[in-house]
Amino acid sequence: MFLILGPTLNPLASFFWGPDSQGVTAGTLVALSCFCWLVGLIGLYDRLRATAPRYVAVALPVTVFATVGGVAFGVQSIHEGLFDVSHAQTIELLNQYPFATTLFWIAGPLFPLTLFALGVALGWTRTAPPAVGVLLCLGAIAFPMSRITREVSIAHVADVLLLLPFLYLGARGLWGRSRKSASSAAGDVPAVA
């Protein structure tokens, strides 16, 4: 469910973008999206652990840090709206605090990189159809372009490119759990805690 909810909330946020700032509503949706995405990705990494344990060992902590960057961008948008400052002004102010910029200029860009790596890993391990990995990689490339340019049309394309593979992965995960539950109820498979 979270694997579907995260990428669904993110495109909703772009409908609330303002001309100079993403705004309070969009920022809130971005932060909530990052939370949902993280919970969903942790579940997906759990499913990948048997097939790609080394990848998961590296990807999981990097993904946690990357989503912290996403939340930071969401909170930045909230503050832009609360204090009525433009995105450009916020960036100028933020650059005066180099240590704080690690959340934005290191953690933030890691998020699309983790999605790109996930697309490659899913293709490499053949745990998802090739189209899922390709869409994920294309979405991961388009995502930063849309956020840097602040072009809503590019954001919608990037968001759809990311939403489609996660809809598949999330539905497959939910369907797999419901099949296990049905089998457990029938006595075929022992219940998993």
Side-chain angles (χ1 to χ4, degrees), residues 163-178:
L163 179 61
L164 293 175
F166 282 110
L167 282 173
Y168 172 83
L169 293 167
R172 191 174 83 169
L174 289 171
W175 184 69
R177 277 197 297 272
S178 67

Side-chain angles (χ1 to χ4, degrees), residues 143-155:
F143 185 83
M145 291 171 33
S146 68
R147 274 40 184 196
I148 291 168
T149 62
R150 302 276 177 176
E151 285 292 326
V152 176
S153 58
I154 299 172

Side-chain angles (χ1 to χ4, degrees), residues 1 14 20 43 46 66 73 79-80 91 94-95 101-102 109 175 183:
M1 178 178 76
S14 58
D20 293 331
D46 257 2
F73 276 109
H79 287 153
E80 288 170 5
I91 298 301
L94 184 62
N95 285 333
T101 60
T102 58
W175 184 69
S183 297

Side-chain angles (χ1 to χ4, degrees), residues 38 60-70 102-103 106-108 110:
L38 179 58
L60 182 58
V62 172
T63 300
V64 170
F65 184 57
T67 55
V68 167
T102 58
L103 289 175
I106 296 174
L110 279 178

Side-chain angles (χ1 to χ4, degrees), residues 100-146:
T101 60
T102 58
L103 289 175
F104 296 92
W105 309 132
I106 296 174
L110 279 178
F111 186 69
L113 289 174
T114 60
L115 296 179
F116 187 88
L118 178 60
V120 171
L122 290 171
W124 185 266
T125 60
R126 294 188 169 103
T127 51
V132 170
V134 169
L135 284 172
L136 201 48
C137 290
L138 290 173
I141 292 168
F143 185 83
M145 291 171 33
S146 68

Side-chain angles (χ1 to χ4, degrees), residues 9-101:
L9 288 174
N10 208 52
L12 288 176
S14 58
F15 285 104
F16 293 96
W17 285 6
D20 293 331
S21 172
Q22 288 185 351
V24 175
T25 302
T28 303
L29 287 169
V30 166
L32 291 172
S33 170
C34 288
F35 163 74
C36 293
W37 226 325
L38 179 58
V39 173
L41 287 170
I42 289 170
L44 183 58
Y45 288 148
D46 257 2
R47 289 187 280 175
L48 279 173
R49 193 175 305 277
T51 312
R54 289 187 195 123
Y55 164 73
V56 172
V58 172
L60 182 58
V62 172
T63 300
V64 170
F65 184 57
T67 55
V68 167
V71 171
F73 276 109
V75 171
Q76 173 191 347
S77 295
I78 293 169
H79 287 153
E80 288 170 5
L82 290 176
F83 300 113
D84 196 26
V85 293
S86 71
H87 179 71
Q89 289 172 305
T90 305
I91 298 301
E92 285 180 34
L93 292 169
L94 184 62
N95 285 333
Q96 296 174 21
Y97 302 94
F99 186 61
T101 60

